[in-house]
Amino acid sequence: MDVLARKLRTLSDIDEPDLSILTEATKTARGFKTGSVIIRDGDRPSDVHVVLDGYAARSKSTEDGRRQIFAYLLPGDLCDLHVALLERMDHDISALSDCEIAFIPRTTILSLTNEHPRIARALWMCNLVDEAVLREWVLNVGRREAEQRIAHLFCEIHARLTAIDLVVDGIFDLPIPQAALADTVGLSGAHLSRSLKALREAGLAEFKEHIVTVPDIRRLQRFAGFDPAYLHLKRR
Amino acid sequence: MDVLARKLRTLSDIDEPDLSILTEATKTARGFKTGSVIIRDGDRPSDVHVVLDGYAARSKSTEDGRRQIFAYLLPGDLCDLHVALLERMDHDISALSDCEIAFIPRTTILSLTNEHPRIARALWMCNLVDEAVLREWVLNVGRREAEQRIAHLFCEIHARLTAIDLVVDGIFDLPIPQAALADTVGLSGAHLSRSLKALREAGLAEFKEHIVTVPDIRRLQRFAGFDPAYLHLKRR
DNA sequence: CGAGGAATTGAGAAACTTCAACCGTGGTGG
DNA sequence: CCACCACGGTTGAAGTTTCTCAATTCCTCG
């Protein structure tokens, strides 16, 4: 569970004793295969889930089956902290790649947050950042064109993965099918493919075999109009 | 401040003593004129703001000046609870109509949430619901077409205003210019106008002189694919 | 070697944008 | 009191972006 500890430390000033209380509350983990559903819309899960390894995603579909992805859940991310308070899931969580998921009983979260204001604050903070990211996604989908949308998403993932040292030489893993990418930026698969080609030919970014290569992140950021402030990462 | 109390009661099971602690912490309120900026991107406000009367909005613009609205803030809504923990604003809050805004010192929120877990939880809950709404907006903008997007937005506002008894006979106030509507659903003003016309001619909804008329909310909900579950309103 | 899924590409259609003209209304100043 | 201006909204025409659908290629896996 050190991924969770690490994540909380990048956001808040939670201290070691509180951290270990939280990480020790974690029950054993379980693996999920690519594409499998971890929690379903309407569920009332009794545990809060934490990604240990792999990529998961929040998503929801319209009546006519058009899917939208709301978030990529990277190692250390909490999948469904809301069900601690809100009880009922209003969207799906599924595995974008094979992944390992840990469980923390809902009741544990509730009592911990009652007794340890600092833990409550750290977790609350996670939600605040998720929310800020979501706002940026609304802006992205609502007000940017295809190529910039994709570029912006790449910049965001680049920044988040850099914070956990998962980017080397502008190269990082993105173990998801293009259809999932399309569902996150609100484009059709066909148009996504064309836009990726354009980005590649412009030398801005390449997505190939589940690996993203960014030759010059500054240039990509400028192209996308990306400003990392909304991620609220502590500088290090 | 009873609007805030009312809102918290519609979401959580916070009790009267805690409620009054919170509402008494409120400093005097101030009026803002339509269009004025209440808090700006990048600010580090020392107070948390609460809408008492009128409509405000969260928004942010791209470099090239395309604006996206993220939320309508109705009476009782907290504008910027995040700055209690996150310190720096990552978007703007502005007045959509003339409105009355109350202030709660940031430090008060921090100490209250430290000492009263139930208050912390109620406020946290507000964020969780905001987040759920935001997810639905991403889906709306990313995966629905113009007319359904607008219809969905109307359904949502209808539901939220119904919860605070502000809808009478399917009629409710929406004191904002069409340009603001366009900026919330990610459309141009021209196309928004055309889509509104289509909705009107289909007898689904009308927006005229800042008033929305919905002859048959069920029909509009069916058209928009609207399911209020994501609002997490307690039934009453 | 063949089958099946994912990605690419092309062609035509649909959704949406831009720009400009136009309308109505409400407010302001002469 | 009226003329005029400014502003928000509507509409038309042309252009752009994105979508759909289908054909094709590519790759992986059996």
Side-chain angles (χ1 to χ4, degrees):
Chain A
M1 283 299 286
D2 41 342
V3 284
L4 176 57
R6 174 177 215 167
K7 149 128 184 180
L8 293 179
R9 254 182 269 123
T10 69
L11 287 180
S12 72
D13 49 2
I14 190 169
D15 57 5
E16 291 309 321
D18 278 344
L19 262 183
S20 59
I21 290 175
L22 187 59
T23 55
E24 273 160 28
T26 310
K27 296 199 299 192
T28 23
R30 211 197 108 187
F32 286 86
K33 285 271 159 230
T34 301
S36 62
V37 176
I38 300 169
I39 318 154
R40 197 177 303 274
D41 194 348
D43 279 1
R44 298 166 171 272
S46 55
D47 300 296
V48 168
H49 299 68
V50 183
V51 181
L52 295 186
D53 192 41
Y55 282 46
R58 284 181 212 296
S59 68
K60 188 169 176 176
S61 299
T62 60
E63 324 252 88
D64 51 332
R66 303 165 73 92
R67 182 175 72 150
Q68 176 68 48
I69 292 180
F70 304 123
Y72 291 151
L73 302 168
L74 314 184
D77 285 341
L78 292 143
C79 297
D80 47 6
L81 194 45
H82 22 94
V83 297
L85 296 183
L86 253 28
E87 301 189 346
R88 185 172 226 120
M89 283 298 286
D90 54 28
H91 60 276
D92 301 314
I93 308 275
S94 49
L96 285 176
S97 69
D98 287 353
C99 52
E100 191 73 14
I101 307 285
F103 300 73
I104 307 177
R106 207 182 145 240
T107 49
T108 306
I109 297 273
L110 285 178
S111 61
L112 279 182
T113 53
N114 260 336
E115 289 150 32
H116 302 268
R118 266 200 237 103
I119 295 183
R121 239 199 257 178
L123 295 180
W124 187 1
M125 188 101 87
C126 291
N127 276 127
L128 292 176
V129 172
D130 284 356
E131 201 183 320
V133 170
L134 225 28
R135 279 192 291 268
E136 197 65 33
W137 283 34
V138 177
L139 177 61
N140 206 29
V141 173
R143 288 301 188 208
R144 276 191 268 259
E145 327 231 294
E147 290 172 35
Q148 287 165 28
R149 255 184 241 183
I150 300 166
H152 196 279
L153 177 67
F154 283 170
C155 288
E156 178 182 309
I157 301 175
H158 179 98
R160 287 179 62 195
L161 289 179
T162 297
I164 51 177
D165 294 321
L166 254 36
V167 177
V168 183
D169 289 336
I171 297 176
F172 59 90
D173 270 17
L174 192 58
I176 68 173
Q178 286 197 18
L181 255 191
D183 288 343
T184 107
V185 290
L187 296 172
S188 68
H191 197 61
L192 181 96
S193 174
R194 283 185 256 264
S195 304
L196 280 176
K197 185 181 179 188
L199 286 176
R200 186 179 344 120
E201 289 175 350
L204 285 164
E206 177 167 14
F207 177 57
K208 202 179 174 187
E209 285 154 16
H210 297 164
I211 292 176
V212 177
T213 307
V214 180
D216 181 350
I217 184 66
R218 289 293 166 74
R219 204 157 77 82
L220 188 65
Q221 292 178 339
R222 233 176 301 122
F223 175 77
F226 177 83
D227 172 355
Y230 72 93
L231 290 171
H232 296 275
L233 296 167
K234 287 200 307 190
R235 41 212 97 291
R236 1 184 285 126
Chain B
M1 282 300 285
D2 41 341
V3 283
L4 175 58
R6 174 178 216 165
K7 150 131 183 178
L8 292 179
R9 254 183 270 125
T10 70
L11 287 179
S12 72
D13 50 2
I14 191 169
D15 57 5
E16 291 309 320
D18 278 345
L19 262 183
S20 59
I21 290 175
L22 187 61
T23 55
E24 272 160 28
T26 311
K27 295 199 299 192
T28 23
R30 211 198 109 187
F32 287 85
K33 285 270 159 229
T34 301
S36 62
V37 176
I38 300 169
I39 318 153
R40 198 178 302 274
D41 195 348
D43 280 1
R44 298 167 172 273
S46 55
D47 301 297
V48 169
H49 299 68
V50 184
V51 180
L52 295 186
D53 191 41
Y55 282 44
R58 284 181 212 297
S59 68
K60 188 169 176 177
S61 299
T62 60
E63 325 253 87
D64 51 331
R66 303 165 72 92
R67 181 174 72 150
Q68 176 68 48
I69 292 180
F70 305 123
Y72 291 151
L73 302 168
L74 313 185
D77 285 341
L78 293 142
C79 296
D80 47 6
L81 195 44
H82 22 96
V83 298
L85 297 184
L86 253 28
E87 300 189 346
R88 183 171 229 123
M89 282 298 286
D90 54 28
H91 61 276
D92 301 314
I93 308 275
S94 49
L96 285 176
S97 67
D98 286 354
C99 54
E100 191 72 14
I101 307 284
F103 300 74
I104 306 177
R106 207 181 145 240
T107 48
T108 306
I109 297 273
L110 285 178
S111 61
L112 279 182
T113 54
N114 260 335
E115 289 151 33
H116 303 269
R118 266 201 237 102
I119 295 184
R121 234 198 261 179
L123 295 181
W124 188 0
M125 187 100 88
C126 290
N127 275 128
L128 292 175
V129 172
D130 284 356
E131 202 183 319
V133 170
L134 225 27
R135 279 193 291 268
E136 197 66 32
W137 283 35
V138 176
L139 177 61
N140 206 30
V141 173
R143 287 303 188 207
R144 276 191 268 260
E145 326 231 294
E147 290 171 34
Q148 285 163 31
R149 257 185 239 181
I150 300 166
H152 197 280
L153 177 67
F154 283 170
C155 287
E156 179 183 307
I157 300 176
H158 179 99
R160 287 179 64 194
L161 289 179
T162 297
I164 51 176
D165 295 320
L166 254 35
V167 178
V168 182
D169 288 337
I171 298 176
F172 58 90
D173 270 18
L174 192 58
I176 68 173
Q178 285 197 17
L181 255 191
D183 287 343
T184 106
V185 290
L187 295 172
S188 67
H191 198 61
L192 180 95
S193 174
R194 283 184 255 265
S195 304
L196 279 176
K197 184 181 178 188
L199 286 177
R200 187 181 339 122
E201 288 175 350
L204 286 164
E206 176 166 15
F207 177 57
K208 202 179 175 187
E209 286 155 14
H210 298 163
I211 292 176
V212 177
T213 308
V214 179
D216 181 350
I217 185 65
R218 290 290 166 75
R219 203 156 78 81
L220 188 65
Q221 291 178 341
R222 232 176 302 122
F223 175 76
F226 177 82
D227 172 355
Y230 72 95
L231 291 171
H232 296 275
L233 297 167
K234 288 201 303 190
R235 43 210 98 291
R236 356 182 290 124

